[in-house]
Amino acid sequence: MKFSVFSVCLPEYDVPGTIQVMKDMGYDGIEWRVSEPCPAEKPEDYTYEWRYWTFNKSAVDVATIDKEAANIKAMCDRAGLPICNLATYLGVDQEEEIERVLYAAKIMECPSIRLDPPTYDETENYTVLFNRTKAKVMELEKLAAKYGVAINFETHMGNIIPSASAAYRLVCDCDPRYVGVLFDPGNMVHEGFENYRLGIELLGKHLSHVHVKNGVWKMTEKTEAGVEKYAPTWAQFWKGYADLGKLIQVLRDVGYEGFISVEDFTNDEDTVTKLKNNLAYLKTL
């Protein structure tokens, strides 16, 4: 197993700065956030807690990634950091943009890219939405095979595959060389929790990449009637409900040899201290 960082976790650093910080910390690789570019100035809704989403400099522009790919790869090569995944926010219908990222991934010698499955907002029948998406995924498999790069779908709260079982249903009829699942136990604290071994054994060869973060449920309200309401929030790796030690043991047991990528949205420590402590903790596991 190798450890990387999803660059979304380094919002105050640009691409060269991210590479330098990553090299200094001793991680084995890097996963790039691929999105629209950061605005030139901090937006009015900027907050320190939401800097990952409102003012994140550590991203590759999805519109120009094909032109930047060779240079980014060269910078990462000089730092000894293989690129393990390109995490986009593209939907399954954005075929032109998807092909651009697949092309860039091939240049970068990056094995996979992430796409977003549709959200589930209860406005459309789940089965209808799922089946339409699965048909599109099977079309995208051909595009992935053209470039020899896998397309991953992440277990994520709020979308149509919050659990490993749901994700498996989406990808099971595709070649695991070209369509896989990004397993995220931190997201599954919010929604979709299943026994890790069950989920990982079910995914089998479709397990393509792993994110690690953690979360807890906290009471947000108590009504006059005494009803307690809870909501999930992010937590440090060693304080949350996700059992990262169990996760790593299961991954070892099934012979997983890919990357475990840090995706930490907590704000208890500065970025560098947090990522150093995350790597040290993961190594103890």
Side-chain angles (χ1 to χ4, degrees):
M1 273 177 274
K2 296 159 283 189
F3 297 115
S4 60
V5 174
F6 181 14
S7 71
V8 70
C9 299
L10 296 101
E12 61 267 55
Y13 297 95
D14 60 11
V15 168
T18 293
I19 293 171
Q20 185 60 53
V21 169
M22 292 286 296
K23 177 184 177 182
D24 293 343
M25 283 192 291
Y27 278 88
D28 302 308
I30 187 165
E31 175 180 4
W32 285 111
R33 181 177 193 246
V34 180
S35 65
E36 295 180 356
C38 181
E41 298 181 1
K42 290 181 180 178
E44 292 183 1
D45 63 348
Y46 173 84
T47 65
Y48 181 76
E49 291 75 18
W50 282 91
R51 66 196 187 281
Y52 307 103
W53 314 117
T54 57
F55 195 64
N56 194 318
K57 299 178 182 179
S58 189
V60 181
D61 188 346
V62 66
T64 59
I65 189 171
D66 53 334
K67 300 178 179 63
E68 298 178 42
N71 182 49
I72 292 172
K73 182 183 187 307
M75 288 191 290
C76 290
D77 285 348
R78 287 193 292 271
L81 291 169
I83 301 168
C84 62
N85 190 48
L86 298 176
T88 80
Y89 302 87
L90 298 173
V92 295
D93 293 321
Q94 295 179 264
E95 191 166 322
E96 181 179 342
E97 293 87 349
I98 292 168
E99 184 162 14
R100 184 187 306 132
V101 179
L102 287 168
Y103 172 78
K106 184 174 182 179
I107 292 173
M108 294 175 173
E109 298 181 7
C110 171
S112 62
I113 73 169
R114 181 189 73 176
L115 301 184
D116 273 355
T119 58
Y120 179 63
D121 60 8
E122 302 183 30
T123 61
E124 182 179 8
N125 179 275
Y126 176 79
T127 300
V128 173
L129 175 59
F130 183 92
N131 289 342
R132 184 173 69 247
T133 304
K134 182 164 183 171
K136 187 63 182 178
V137 169
M138 295 182 75
E139 292 177 18
L140 291 174
E141 177 186 7
K142 301 171 186 175
L143 193 60
K146 174 182 174 181
Y147 292 96
V149 175
I151 290 173
N152 293 334
F153 295 95
E154 183 173 1
T155 56
H156 201 291
M157 58 284 191
N159 72 25
I160 63 171
I161 54 166
S163 68
S165 294
Y168 180 72
R169 288 183 58 229
L170 184 68
V171 306
C172 64
D173 293 322
C174 295
D175 187 327
R177 292 177 297 174
Y178 306 124
V179 179
V181 171
L182 195 170
F183 190 88
D184 189 318
N187 287 345
M188 291 186 284
V189 171
H190 290 235
E191 181 186 7
F193 172 77
E194 290 174 320
N195 179 290
Y196 296 156
R197 189 175 300 275
L198 180 158
I200 288 169
E201 289 180 351
L202 176 65
L203 291 173
K205 292 183 179 180
H206 284 96
L207 176 65
S208 181
H209 190 51
V210 176
H211 277 176
V212 284
K213 54 180 177 284
N214 218 325
V216 295
W217 284 73
K218 293 185 176 181
M219 189 171 69
T220 58
E221 181 185 352
K222 189 170 184 178
T223 69
E224 292 182 0
V227 176
E228 297 179 358
K229 296 185 178 182
Y230 289 75
T233 187
W234 303 120
Q236 291 174 293
F237 278 21
W238 47 90
K239 293 183 178 180
Y241 292 172
D243 187 344
L244 300 185
K246 175 66 178 296
L247 172 73
I248 289 179
Q249 183 60 56
V250 173
L251 292 172
R252 288 172 63 91
D253 290 347
V254 301
Y256 178 74
E257 297 180 346
F259 276 88
I260 295 176
S261 199
V262 170
E263 184 187 29
D264 188 342
F265 298 128
T266 58
N267 301 292
D268 304 85
E269 302 167 305
D270 67 87
T271 295
V272 171
T273 301
K274 175 174 69 174
L275 295 179
K276 282 183 177 178
N277 288 341
N278 286 343
L279 180 59
Y281 179 68
L282 290 171
K283 286 185 174 180
T284 67
L285 299 180

